[in-house]
Amino acid sequence: MDGIRETFAGMPWWVKWVAIPLLVLFVFGGVITSILGALISFVFKLLLFVALVGGLVFVVKKFTGSGSKSSSRDW
């Protein structure tokens, strides 16, 4: 581990902060993009599921609870 630190210590700043991150993006860019895409898709589907379940609960409570107010206390 010390050999790696010594190697990076002797390099200019632009190699550490510009060239190496660009190489990482070039090599692993497809993997990073697919992981981010899958994560964003999962979050969107989760929010859609929560909204649909909330809407279903709202509709069911609205139509079944209109006759009596005491049924709302059962929840």
Side-chain angles (χ1 to χ4, degrees):
M1 192 73 168
D2 289 331
I4 295 173
R5 286 187 182 159
E6 291 174 5
T7 303
F8 279 114
M11 293 193 178
W13 67 269
W14 60 270
V15 172
K16 291 187 263 188
W17 298 104
V18 177
I20 293 175
L22 286 177
L23 284 174
V24 169
L25 284 176
F26 178 73
V27 173
F28 297 108
V31 175
I32 294 169
T33 304
S34 64
I35 290 172
L36 284 177
L39 184 66
I40 290 170
S41 173
F42 176 73
V43 169
F44 175 75
K45 288 177 183 178
L46 183 67
L47 289 175
L48 182 65
F49 174 73
V50 168
L52 289 173
V53 168
L56 180 66
V57 168
F58 175 76
V59 167
V60 168
K61 285 182 104 176
K62 184 169 177 87
F63 286 115
T64 59
S66 62
S68 115
K69 296 289 182 184
S70 64
S71 65
S72 66
R73 286 187 218 136
D74 293 341
W75 287 80

